[in-house]
Amino acid sequence: MNDTLMPEQQNGNCAAALDITAEKCPMTFVRTRLALDVLAPGGLLAVRLMGEEPHRNVSRSAKALGHSIVADTPQPDGSVVLTIRKKEASPTPA
């Protein structure tokens, strides 16, 4: 990501951060999903993105997969930082 730390990173709450401001859809969510896949259940991912379409698509796709958007923070440079909490692991059938 950029040298500027986001508040979530400064507090040590995010497990990972991803800057997809230069990406175009559908790669915005492909990169986000790959980052989510390696996180532990319940982990936080801060995603910096640029533009209305990536913002809408990444938010919608993350929610559709069961993850939660815990923060949606506009940045001074016009980008947005979405903080996504990875869904908890599904219980294994007995």
Side-chain angles (χ1 to χ4, degrees):
M1 289 192 80
N2 298 339
D3 293 335
T4 306
L5 290 177
M6 295 176 287
E8 296 85 1
Q9 289 175 292
Q10 291 171 351
N11 295 336
N13 294 335
C14 280
L18 177 64
D19 185 338
I20 56 171
T21 54
E23 299 289 340
K24 303 285 184 216
C25 292
M27 289 307 296
T28 52
F29 190 67
V30 169
R31 298 231 10 242
T32 302
R33 183 159 184 183
L34 290 172
L36 285 165
D37 285 349
V38 299
L39 279 182
L44 293 174
L45 173 65
V47 181
R48 183 183 298 267
L49 46 86
M50 184 70 78
E52 183 59 35
E53 184 179 13
H55 182 224
R56 184 177 55 250
N57 290 342
V58 169
S59 297
R60 185 185 68 234
S61 297
K63 289 176 189 174
L65 291 173
H67 308 298
S68 341
I69 307 297
V70 295
D72 188 337
T73 313
Q75 301 298 299
D77 65 356
S79 66
V80 173
V81 175
L82 290 178
T83 304
I84 303 170
R85 181 177 307 280
K86 183 174 178 173
K87 68 181 177 179
E88 294 295 329
S90 300
T92 56

